[in-house]
Amino acid sequence: MNLLQEPSRKRLPRREKLHQDFLDVKRELGHIPTYLELHLMGRSKSIGYRNECGSYVGFLYWAELLSPTEGEVYVRHEAWLRDVEKTLMNHGTQLA
């Protein structure tokens, strides 16, 4: 990471900082990271994506990284997807 970029990164609004950190991981992997990959490799805490956009899929929708069909499904089932993600996050340790 370029140390000259760090001060400007701190001034970015939270969502833009998350987006930049996400793009860094995406660039490193060569594909859109899974939530787990983002959690393990990202500079921002993965829960920040959920807190900022309601869910990781919500972040992908905001970042315009979903296909038109995926976007339609997200919009139609947003509340359900958020509930599923929240349930899995809250009970993930019990499932392992």
Side-chain angles (χ1 to χ4, degrees):
M1 177 176 57
N2 184 338
L3 292 177
L4 296 176
Q5 291 176 338
E6 189 60 25
S8 64
R9 182 181 296 275
K10 289 180 180 179
R11 288 192 298 268
L12 290 173
R14 178 178 290 164
R15 195 171 288 197
E16 288 300 325
K17 182 185 180 315
L18 290 170
H19 189 231
Q20 187 57 56
D21 291 347
F22 168 87
L23 291 175
D24 291 344
V25 174
K26 181 178 180 271
R27 197 172 11 261
E28 185 175 334
L29 292 172
H31 64 267
I32 293 173
T34 64
Y35 189 74
L36 180 59
E37 289 171 328
L38 190 62
H39 173 74
L40 295 174
M41 300 175 69
R43 277 191 300 276
S44 291
K45 292 186 178 193
S46 56
I47 196 162
Y49 295 86
R50 194 177 95 191
N51 289 343
E52 189 65 26
C53 297
S55 68
Y56 180 56
V57 178
F59 169 79
L60 296 175
Y61 179 77
W62 170 83
E64 300 179 349
L65 293 169
L66 299 179
S67 71
T69 302
E70 291 168 334
E72 289 175 22
V73 170
Y74 171 73
V75 169
R76 188 174 310 125
H77 301 288
E78 178 181 2
W80 181 81
L81 288 166
R82 286 180 185 215
D83 285 345
V84 167
E85 191 171 304
K86 186 190 315 181
T87 299
L88 290 175
M89 296 292 289
N90 290 339
H91 299 293
T93 55
Q94 296 174 2
L95 297 174

